[in-house]
Amino acid sequence: MRRCTICIHYSNLSKFERCRLFEWYQYQKKPIREVARLLNRSHATISREIRRNRYYYYVPTYYPHPAQFYYGQRMKERAKRIKLKSIETQQYVTDKLELGWTPEIIAGRIKLNETRYPTCLMKRFTNTYTKKIHPLSSICQDNIRNANGLG
């Protein structure tokens, strides 16, 4: 019986896996599906890795060491992103949380005042600000998810 490689829990490629990918794909000229099978990964993951980290020094080639370096850089940049970009929106959210408003009420109020505070800035609001200032909001979120059958 054939083993399903797609059902495995996803984790990022390690430096060792990137080096094996380079060896098998560049030197031994193995096809992507064969490399994926050897690494016990999805062929889409391998294809994405090669496409994302292809460098054009002399010819288009995948190199594992720069790929690992840029992976680390992308992870650092992802952690630094500001969730609510507008200082005005950040101040509004902080003020309302200190007054005891729940994240749901603040999000609803921002939707009413959409011209002043864009809704798109509220997408990650709950994860960013509520755990620092309003500790009960995570409990409220869990109860809402469980009531809706999502938890």
Side-chain angles (χ1 to χ4, degrees), residues 19-30 63:
C19 289
R20 295 289 72 85
L21 169 62
F22 175 68
E23 180 184 332
W24 291 331
Y25 183 71
Q26 287 299 135
Y27 289 132
Q28 297 180 12
K29 304 294 184 193
K30 292 186 178 186
Y63 295 104

Side-chain angles (χ1 to χ4, degrees), residues 4-5 10-11 17 25 28 33 41 43 56 81 98 106 108 121-122 126 133-135 149:
C4 178
T5 58
Y10 177 78
S11 63
E17 288 175 316
Y25 183 71
Q28 297 180 12
R33 288 185 182 264
R41 296 286 187 154
H43 66 89
Y56 296 90
R81 289 185 192 143
E98 288 173 354
I106 297 171
L121 297 176
M122 291 300 296
T126 304
I133 300 170
H134 199 286

